[in-house]
Amino acid sequence: MKYRELLNIVNKDLQLPAILAINSSINAEESLSRVFEVLQGFLDADGAFVNIFDTQKHRIVFVAHCRRDGVSSTLGSLVPPKSLRPLKITDKVLNCPDISQDRFTQQVLSECLPEVKSYLMLSMDKEERHLGVVCFYSRRYDQFNEAQRILLKSLHDSFSLMTSNALNSVLLANNLDLIQENDGLKDSVRGSRMALVNRFSARTPSLKEITEKIEKVSSTEVPILVLGETGCGKEVVVNLIQELSNRGTGPFVKLNCGAIPETLIDDEFFGHEKGAFTDAKIQKKGVFERASGGTLFLDEIGELSLAAQVRLLRVLQQKIVTRIGGMHSIPVDFRLVAATHRDLKQMAEEGRFRNDLLYRLNLFPLRIPPLRERQEDLFSADRLFPESAAKQIRYFSAPFLVSEVC
């Protein structure tokens, strides 16, 4: 009998009732159970299942299963075998008379449905995207024929809609899991942030107001300027800012501007290409490039020359750098934190510091009082760490006070 004649016979008796059964519910389990009942007399299958491939978790998920005896069991999900590949389904439906010919499906079903011997498998595809499969199986070998294969093929579009809905439900459940996981991570991050803040506050009770400011501004991208005398603990504050920031897991590059000779500042800032000058035997990345994705800390920024300030300002404006001897512009993305013991406003008035650079740096200044005005912090160190009070003082780089306390 020719294909069209077989299809006409199938359509006349079963296609429409099967389509109505598939579309009778948005629940895949109910739809499969109803269409299985409609087709059972024609297919004589022992059971049927629908699975989809969850690309997010890379798992095969069984979204529906029913059996001839009316007992429906959940088959769960599993990771597909990496060493095997499923048989290629060239005409939407595969009639497999012996499951041992399909080692992939045999291994997938080995634990949940080991009794399967043969099957009709409909490959579900929508807009060239594989959704999953609908499979009618038997405990007997060579159970299914060509007419049954043609019937299943004619139901492809209806089954595709059902499978697509099931896949969307799985993806929605995944998204809800991700939301819950994300909320848990946020709670964990908040807990870690609070622990850092509480620890810092316990050591420096006199800096409570500054600590509150740090907590608010750390998660932003605003440049921060830390001001204060040498030895007041500016670097400790900068470290806290880095740990609390959204870039805390990124690179944290530090450069002491007062320790770099003027002739080497360009090489420190921008790096160089191999062969750019006599001693350039290897390629070197500058601090802007190394800090990309994280934070750049420029300590003693007031020591930069006017020429170096111009170069820094240009990078802050354009967010690109070019290595010495290089031909290509390299995009950089870093959060700038600077510190100085100098009065930058006075330097700007005297023409020793650029006003436009100060404007960019001074968006959120943090002024740290000298340690001599924070005796409360010293007593707090003695109370919290009685065995290492002197060490706590050195933590703030204030050797001139050690003799007073010790």
Side-chain angles (χ1 to χ4, degrees):
M1 189 176 291
K2 295 183 180 180
Y3 174 84
R4 291 183 180 277
E5 295 173 346
L6 282 171
L7 186 58
N8 288 335
I9 294 173
V10 168
N11 283 349
K12 181 179 179 181
D13 296 329
L14 291 173
Q15 190 179 39
L16 181 58
I19 291 174
L20 293 175
I22 294 170
N23 296 325
S24 64
S25 174
I26 61 173
N27 182 280
E29 191 81 39
E30 293 180 2
S31 293
L32 183 64
S33 179
R34 290 170 185 173
V35 74
F36 184 81
E37 185 178 348
V38 170
L39 299 179
Q40 178 55 22
F42 182 71
L43 295 179
D44 192 23
D46 290 306
F49 62 79
V50 179
N51 68 36
I52 57 98
F53 184 67
D54 182 355
T55 55
Q56 292 180 342
K57 297 184 177 181
H58 198 74
R59 296 180 70 86
I60 296 173
V61 182
F62 290 87
V63 295
H65 176 224
C66 64
R67 299 194 315 192
R68 181 197 294 228
D69 57 16
V71 178
S72 179
S73 58
T74 302
L75 302 183
S77 64
L78 52 88
V79 177
K82 296 181 180 180
S83 59
L84 299 173
R85 292 290 179 269
L87 293 180
K88 188 175 182 181
I89 303 177
T90 56
D91 194 26
K92 294 185 180 179
V93 183
L94 174 65
N95 181 2
C96 182
D98 185 348
I99 195 171
S100 63
Q101 298 174 6
D102 182 2
R103 295 288 305 281
F104 181 91
T105 302
Q106 187 177 41
Q107 186 164 333
V108 167
L109 301 180
S110 60
E111 293 187 11
C112 57
L113 290 172
E115 70 273 16
V116 174
K117 296 297 187 295
S118 62
Y119 63 76
L120 273 178
M121 183 176 289
L122 176 64
S123 178
M124 309 309 305
D125 303 287
K126 186 176 182 180
E127 298 175 355
E128 299 183 354
R129 182 168 65 106
H130 180 64
L131 303 176
V133 300
V134 175
C135 182
F136 289 82
Y137 64 83
S138 174
R139 296 189 180 95
R140 299 177 296 277
Y141 291 107
D142 199 13
Q143 171 64 21
F144 303 102
N145 57 42
E146 180 65 9
Q148 293 164 336
R149 191 192 70 82
I150 291 173
L151 167 64
L152 205 56
K153 179 180 177 181
S154 71
L155 301 175
H156 176 274
D157 291 346
S158 296
F159 272 124
S160 288
L161 180 60
M162 181 189 77
T163 310
S164 181
N165 289 336
L167 177 59
N168 290 336
S169 297
V170 170
L171 296 179
L172 178 60
N174 288 347
N175 290 337
L176 293 176
D177 290 342
L178 289 174
I179 291 173
Q180 292 179 353
E181 183 179 348
N182 189 40
D183 290 341
L185 290 174
K186 286 181 179 179
D187 290 340
S188 177
V189 169
R190 279 193 290 268
S192 299
R193 287 170 59 90
M194 287 303 300
L196 288 170
V197 171
N198 291 338
R199 183 182 178 191
F200 185 81
S201 298
R203 290 183 172 185
T204 57
S206 65
L207 297 182
K208 181 180 179 181
E209 183 178 347
I210 291 176
T211 304
E212 292 175 352
K213 291 181 179 179
I214 292 173
E215 191 177 0
K216 291 179 180 178
V217 76
S218 292
S219 58
T220 71
E221 294 293 305
V222 176
I224 298 178
L225 179 62
V226 183
L227 305 168
E229 295 180 3
T230 300
C232 69
K234 296 190 295 294
E235 188 167 352
V236 176
V237 170
V238 172
N239 288 337
L240 178 64
I241 292 171
Q242 164 65 6
E243 290 174 339
L244 295 179
S245 74
N246 295 332
R247 295 174 179 257
T249 56
F252 185 30
V253 180
K254 301 180 181 181
L255 180 67
N256 187 336
C257 300
I260 308 298
E262 176 63 22
T263 54
L264 298 180
I265 195 68
D266 279 357
D267 192 48
E268 288 295 327
F269 272 4
F270 304 106
H272 61 254
E273 296 289 357
K274 181 179 179 181
F277 46 84
T278 303
D279 293 329
K281 297 180 181 180
I282 60 172
Q283 182 191 79
K284 175 187 174 182
K285 295 181 179 180
V287 292
F288 300 129
E289 194 176 349
R290 297 204 307 271
S292 190
T295 302
L296 174 62
F297 172 39
L298 296 181
D299 196 11
E300 298 301 343
I301 196 171
E303 307 304 316
L304 287 178
S305 66
L306 287 172
Q309 292 173 34
V310 172
R311 297 182 183 93
L312 172 60
L313 180 62
R314 184 177 180 85
V315 174
L316 293 178
Q317 290 173 334
Q318 299 186 352
K319 293 293 184 180
I320 57 172
V321 297
T322 303
R323 300 186 193 123
I324 297 173
M327 301 293 292
H328 303 289
S329 296
I330 302 169
V332 291
D333 172 31
F334 58 86
R335 198 261 186 92
L336 180 64
V337 180
T340 183
H341 70 283
R342 295 188 178 277
D343 186 341
L344 296 185
K345 288 185 178 180
Q346 182 178 345
M347 290 179 64
E349 291 173 359
E350 296 171 356
R352 293 186 292 128
F353 201 87
R354 293 183 63 93
N355 270 307
D356 45 6
L357 179 57
L358 178 60
Y359 176 78
R360 280 189 169 270
L361 296 176
N362 206 34
L363 292 175
F364 199 93
L366 288 173
R367 187 171 298 278
I368 312 301
L371 196 57
R372 62 178 175 274
E373 298 177 8
R374 293 154 45 200
Q375 303 257 341
E376 183 183 356
D377 292 350
L378 301 182
F379 295 135
S380 173
D382 191 25
R383 183 175 66 252
L384 292 171
F385 312 98
E387 74 288 352
S388 57
K391 181 180 179 181
Q392 178 70 4
I393 296 168
R394 288 195 296 274
Y395 177 75
F396 288 102
S397 307
F400 59 92
L401 283 175
V402 173
S403 60
E404 298 178 17
V405 177
C406 302

